[in-house]
Amino acid sequence: MDEKGKYEIVESGRFGYKHISPIPDASELSEFYQSDYPEMLQEGEVAEDVARLLEGEEEADREREWRRATWYTDIQVLIETTGPSASRVLDVGAGTGEFLSYMQDEGYEVVGLEPSSKIGEKAKSKGLEVYNKTIEEFVESGGDSFDVVTLFHVLEHVPNPVEVVESAYSLLSPGGVLVVKVPNEFNSLQVSARESLSLDDWWIVPPVHINYFDYDSLEAIIQSAGFTVEEKIGDFPMETFLLMGENYVDDQDVGSKCHEKRMQFEKSLPGEVRRMLYKKLADAGLGRSATLAGVAKDGK
C-alpha cells in the first residue's frame, strides 16, 4: 500500500532532520511492527538487507559472510579506536542477532533489544540474550550499564529519536561509546539520481521510516545528548548504480545484482583502504548510510 499520500515531509527546527507529519502514535507503530512489518520484511518489501538474512540458507550465508568481513569488522575497529577498552555491548534493534553473534565471537559480552517479538525470536534461537523491549522500556526496567551502545538503522523508525539517543547515554559508563548508523537521505548523489532518472523520492517510505537524516542532523542530535562525536564514516554510495543506468528502484532483480557488486567491491578492498575511503565519503556528506561514533562525557 502506498502510504505517502497520507503524510507530508517537514523539517525539525532544532536539529535539521526531516520527518513525516503527522507522526504515528505509539499504539499505531506497535501494531505495525508486531503484525505488518515482519510480513513485509519476509517478502522483501522493506529492509532488504535484513530480508536477505531470512532468505534461503545460501543467500543468508553470503549476506552474513559479507557483513562480518566488512561492516561488522569496521564497526569493531571504530569502537576499539574511539573509546577506552570495552567489554559489554548493547545492540538496540538487534534484529536477527547477527551483529551480536559477531561481537560475541570476538570476545565481547553482548545484550540485545528487539521490540519485534517475531524477529527477536531468531536472535534468541541462537542463544543470545535479547529482550523484546524498546530502549526506553529497558531503561525503565533498570537496565544495566554498558561500555558500548549501538543503534543500527533504528532512529529512522522511531517517533522520538532524540529521546532514544538520550536513553542510550543513560546506559553508558563514563567514556562509553555510542555508534549510530542511519540512512543518509537527500544526499547530493541521491538527488542527482532522482532528477536524472525522473524518479520520485523513493527513499520516503512511511510509516516504515519516520525520520530522514544526514551527517549534520545526526551529529546535532548526538551532541545534544551529551556525546562528543569522535568519528564519522560512510559506506558504499549505492546511488552511483542509478547514475550509471542500473535502475534498482524500479527493478528488484537489478537491485540484487547491484548488491552483489557492492559486496564484491567491499570484500576485495583491504580493510584499512575501505575505511579510509568511507571516511572521505563522510567528509563529503556521501555514502548510502551515515555512521557516527560518540563518546559519553559522563555516562550513567
Side-chain angles (χ1 to χ4, degrees), residues 18-20 23-24 29 156-159 205 207-212:
K18 296 177 175 62
H19 62 83
I20 63 173
I23 294 175
L29 290 173
E156 63 267 30
H157 296 278
V158 299
V205 285
V208 181
H209 287 186
I210 295 172
N211 308 304
Y212 301 85

Side-chain angles (χ1 to χ4, degrees), residues 53-122:
L53 292 168
L54 301 174
E55 294 285 344
E57 185 175 337
E58 183 178 347
E59 178 83 4
D61 284 347
R62 283 203 308 273
E63 180 75 14
R64 189 174 296 112
E65 188 273 332
W66 161 68
R67 286 180 174 221
R68 283 177 165 251
T70 59
W71 173 12
Y72 296 164
T73 296
D74 293 348
I75 293 296
Q76 183 184 358
V77 170
L78 191 62
I79 289 168
E80 293 177 351
T81 57
T82 298
S85 178
S87 60
R88 303 196 73 222
V89 176
L90 175 68
D91 186 27
V92 181
T96 58
E98 299 300 331
F99 179 69
L100 288 177
S101 293
Y102 169 84
M103 293 298 279
Q104 184 171 262
D105 290 346
E106 292 296 311
Y108 290 83
E109 181 183 348
V110 300
V111 177
L113 303 179
E114 176 49 59
S116 174
S117 56
K118 291 182 180 179
I119 298 172
E121 286 304 315
K122 296 283 187 180

Side-chain angles (χ1 to χ4, degrees), residues 110-279:
V110 300
V111 177
L113 303 179
E114 176 49 59
S116 174
S117 56
K118 291 182 180 179
I119 298 172
E121 286 304 315
K122 296 283 187 180
K124 291 180 181 179
S125 69
K126 299 169 183 174
L128 295 166
E129 184 180 352
V130 175
Y131 300 97
N132 295 129
K133 296 180 178 181
T134 65
I135 189 170
E136 296 94 333
E137 292 168 341
F138 187 69
V139 171
E140 289 175 4
S141 67
D144 210 343
S145 181
F146 296 87
D147 304 309
V148 178
V149 174
T150 56
L151 292 160
F152 300 145
H153 295 298
V154 171
L155 295 188
E156 63 267 30
H157 296 278
V158 299
N160 54 338
V162 177
E163 287 82 357
V164 169
V165 174
E166 290 172 346
S167 294
Y169 187 94
S170 74
L171 292 169
L172 281 166
S173 55
V177 176
L178 172 72
V179 183
V180 184
K181 183 174 186 176
V182 296
N184 178 30
E185 309 292 30
F186 293 94
N187 70 71
S188 58
L189 290 180
Q190 205 174 44
V191 172
S192 295
R194 178 191 64 189
E195 295 173 354
S196 177
L197 278 70
S198 299
L199 298 168
D200 64 4
D201 294 344
W202 71 88
W203 59 90
I204 304 294
V205 285
V208 181
H209 287 186
I210 295 172
N211 308 304
Y212 301 85
F213 302 95
D214 58 14
Y215 290 93
D216 291 341
S217 58
L218 181 59
E219 182 172 11
I221 289 175
I222 291 173
Q223 288 180 332
S224 76
F227 292 94
T228 300
V229 174
E230 298 288 348
E231 194 68 82
K232 304 176 188 179
I233 189 167
D235 61 7
F236 192 92
M238 292 297 293
E239 301 88 353
T240 55
F241 285 118
L242 293 170
L243 294 167
M244 291 186 288
E246 301 283 353
N247 190 346
Y248 60 76
V249 173
D250 293 334
D251 190 329
Q252 194 172 40
D253 289 337
V254 172
S256 296
K257 292 176 183 176
C258 291
H259 181 64
E260 291 285 342
K261 292 177 180 179
R262 180 250 180 103
M263 290 195 295
Q264 181 61 41
F265 172 81
E266 291 187 335
K267 290 192 296 183
S268 298
L269 285 177
E272 62 272 16
V273 175
R274 182 179 60 248
R275 291 185 286 274
M276 177 186 67
L277 173 62
Y278 287 168
K279 287 179 182 180

